[in-house]
Amino acid sequence: MITESLKAPDKLTLQQIADRHDIFLVDQFGVLHDGHTAYPGAIEALEALKVAGATIVLLSNSGRRSQPNEARLVRLGFRPGSWDLFLSSGEVAWRMLTGQDGPALVRPGARLLLLSRESDRSAVDDLDVSLTNRGEAADVILLAGSEADVHPLEWYRELLAPAAERRVPLICSNPDRTMLTPLGPRFGAGRIAELYEELGGTVTWIGKPHPEIYVAALAALGDPDPDRVVGIGDSVEHDVAGAKGVGLSVALVRSGIHAELSDTELAAEFEVRGAWPDYVLPAFRW
């Protein structure tokens, strides 16, 4: 039954969705690019959507802050001005860590273990902390990214086990459990955070599907009527469940982590997650 219902949404175009909504919360990885290359037609589609009058927020589970993410988009060929706001979970986490959106999540002078990709340090810019690379020395852990294409999960287990034993709080600013790499899908930061919970540690989750990032995005837009807003992403677990959880419409793009699933397998994923999209697109193309 659910499989049959996917056939009509599969025929929708981005242009047709733009006739129904004028505010778009667009994921980047798996929708616009794979981390290294823009998907065919994505650059042009984003620009066409903007020309059509849409307000576009790029909403990402990247643990990096917004500016480094925008710089990468430009390097991949996306043109500044084809989106209105970029908001990453790393940016939301940074604001929470610095106390800009309430009590600061980390005390001044704390010893912080930062786990990120490619030695990115944007997540701790202007924080009054000292960095450590040892789990047994950490007062707090900021998990901004996974290097699963460099380190196996067991490496993270050995690093984090001493901290979990001491109940050191971990802040995960990238809840994605799977990420796309040149080597294919690998475990994401969300899987590492899950491992930390398995070891007995406590985790604060920031990013999709958790509501804080949506609340921040909608607040920046002046809290518009939800009927005007549609989320677009490639993950049922994060993008579909996240948008539905805050009362928004959502389109699933089948160019990312679910690209290889059949309609039957995708329907099963909807059932498992308890989240069903309003629209399904084969790709982010105009």
Side-chain angles (χ1 to χ4, degrees), residues 172-194:
C172 179
S173 60
N174 184 341
D176 290 354
R177 288 172 171 79
T178 303
M179 67 176 186
L180 300 175
T181 78
L183 302 176
R186 293 292 186 271
F187 64 85
R191 176 65 189 101
I192 300 170
E194 196 174 62

Side-chain angles (χ1 to χ4, degrees), residues 18 21-24 46-57 81-84 228 286:
H21 307 276
D22 68 330
I23 298 174
F24 285 70
L46 198 64
E47 293 180 356
L49 190 59
K50 194 76 188 75
V51 169
T55 297
I56 301 171
V57 178
S82 55
W83 62 89
D84 296 278
R228 298 174 56 195
W286 190 250

Side-chain angles (χ1 to χ4, degrees), residues 112-164:
L112 185 144
L113 171 59
L114 173 64
L115 300 176
S116 63
R117 282 190 66 77
E118 300 169 349
S119 302
D120 178 69
R121 293 290 182 267
S122 65
V124 294
D125 283 348
D126 301 321
L127 288 183
D128 182 10
V129 296
S130 60
L131 295 181
T132 179
N133 59 6
R134 297 166 52 238
E136 57 267 31
D139 298 316
V140 62
I141 302 164
L142 177 57
L143 175 51
S146 164
E147 291 192 310
D149 43 354
V150 178
H151 303 295
L153 193 60
E154 189 59 32
W155 183 87
Y156 286 100
R157 181 188 301 274
E158 293 177 4
L159 174 66
L160 295 173

Side-chain angles (χ1 to χ4, degrees), residues 16-267:
Q16 289 172 317
I17 295 176
D19 289 336
R20 305 182 185 187
H21 307 276
D22 68 330
I23 298 174
F24 285 70
L25 307 182
V26 183
D27 185 35
Q28 59 164 336
F29 288 99
V31 175
L32 301 179
H33 62 85
D34 63 4
H36 301 273
T37 305
Y39 288 129
I43 293 173
E44 296 77 10
L46 198 64
E47 293 180 356
L49 190 59
K50 194 76 188 75
V51 169
T55 297
I56 301 171
V57 178
L58 301 184
L59 200 66
S60 173
N61 267 2
S62 170
R64 299 183 182 190
R65 293 186 61 195
S66 295
Q67 192 281 327
N69 276 286
E70 291 187 281
R72 173 171 48 198
L73 285 178
V74 173
R75 290 195 300 271
L76 293 178
F78 292 89
R79 287 178 273 276
S82 55
W83 62 89
D84 296 278
L85 172 68
F86 194 111
L87 186 63
S88 67
S89 53
E91 187 72 27
V92 175
W94 181 84
R95 294 182 63 86
M96 295 172 70
L97 287 165
T98 56
Q100 296 191 31
D101 293 327
L105 292 183
V106 61
R107 63 173 176 78
R111 294 170 297 179
L112 185 144
L113 171 59
L114 173 64
L115 300 176
S116 63
R117 282 190 66 77
E118 300 169 349
S119 302
D120 178 69
R121 293 290 182 267
S122 65
V124 294
D125 283 348
D126 301 321
L127 288 183
D128 182 10
V129 296
S130 60
L131 295 181
T132 179
N133 59 6
R134 297 166 52 238
E136 57 267 31
D139 298 316
V140 62
I141 302 164
L142 177 57
L143 175 51
S146 164
E147 291 192 310
D149 43 354
V150 178
H151 303 295
L153 193 60
E154 189 59 32
W155 183 87
Y156 286 100
R157 181 188 301 274
E158 293 177 4
L159 174 66
L160 295 173
E165 186 176 349
R166 295 187 295 112
R167 300 295 190 270
V168 171
L170 182 147
I171 300 162
C172 179
S173 60
N174 184 341
D176 290 354
R177 288 172 171 79
T178 303
M179 67 176 186
L180 300 175
T181 78
L183 302 176
R186 293 292 186 271
F187 64 85
R191 176 65 189 101
I192 300 170
E194 196 174 62
L195 169 66
Y196 195 69
E197 290 182 327
E198 293 167 4
L199 292 169
T202 58
V203 176
T204 297
W205 297 85
I206 301 173
K208 300 175 286 186
H210 307 282
E212 290 85 358
I213 193 169
Y214 291 97
V215 171
L218 295 173
L221 298 173
D223 291 317
D225 183 339
D227 288 341
R228 298 174 56 195
V229 185
V230 60
I232 297 187
D234 69 312
S235 168
V236 177
E237 179 182 5
H238 300 104
D239 300 301
V240 177
K244 284 299 182 182
V246 293
L248 303 179
S249 298
V250 60
L252 179 73
V253 178
R254 298 195 62 178
S255 56
I257 63 173
H258 298 315
E260 302 303 319
L261 296 187
S262 67
D263 281 357
T264 300
E265 291 168 329
L266 189 59

